[in-house]
Amino acid sequence: MANCGVVNLNDSIEKYLPPTVQVPTYNGQHITLESLATHTSGLPENPPNMPLSGPGFQKYTLAQMYQALSSIKLARAPGSKYNYSNFGVGLLGNILASKSGMPY
C-alpha cells in the first residue's frame, strides 16, 4: 500500500484513526505506520485490556483496541527501539484494512 501511494510510512497513525482515539506520543514524537510495521512503536506486546486466554481473546473488539491505545503511556520515543508488539501489528492491520475498504 505504501509502494502504491495509498499510505505513507512516515504518516502519524492519527491520520488513519477516528478523532476520538487518543494516540500516545513521547515528547511530541508520534507513532507512525513504519514504527508499527517495524515493531518500534513503543507499544506493549499486547493491549493491557486484552484477555490472553479463553474466548475473550477471540472476541476482542476494535473499540477495545482503541480504548487500550488511548490509555497507553509511551516510555520511549517511537522508532528508537525494537520491541515485538502484537498490539502494534493488530493496529496496523486494522488501519490498512480500513484504508483499503476490506475487513481485517
Side-chain angles (χ1 to χ4, degrees):
M1 290 178 79
N3 287 340
C4 295
V6 177
V7 297
N8 184 317
L9 293 175
N10 295 316
D11 282 344
S12 173
I13 63 172
E14 287 98 338
K15 180 176 180 177
Y16 303 100
L17 298 174
T20 55
V21 179
Q22 297 291 323
V23 179
T25 61
Y26 185 85
N27 291 336
Q29 293 184 312
H30 295 263
I31 297 172
T32 64
L33 294 178
E34 181 177 25
S35 65
L36 290 178
T38 60
H39 296 277
T40 60
S41 65
L43 294 175
E45 182 175 353
N46 294 300
N49 64 348
M50 176 188 267
L52 298 178
S53 62
F57 181 75
Q58 292 85 6
K59 294 181 180 184
Y60 192 73
T61 66
L62 189 56
Q64 288 172 300
M65 181 181 285
Y66 290 162
Q67 179 186 28
L69 184 62
S70 295
S71 72
I72 295 291
K73 302 245 185 287
L74 297 180
R76 63 180 172 279
S80 66
K81 183 179 177 188
Y82 174 86
N83 184 52
Y84 182 82
S85 176
N86 289 321
F87 188 6
V89 170
L91 183 58
L92 177 62
N94 277 287
I95 288 170
L96 296 178
S98 173
K99 189 69 179 159
S100 70
M102 300 172 69
Y104 181 49

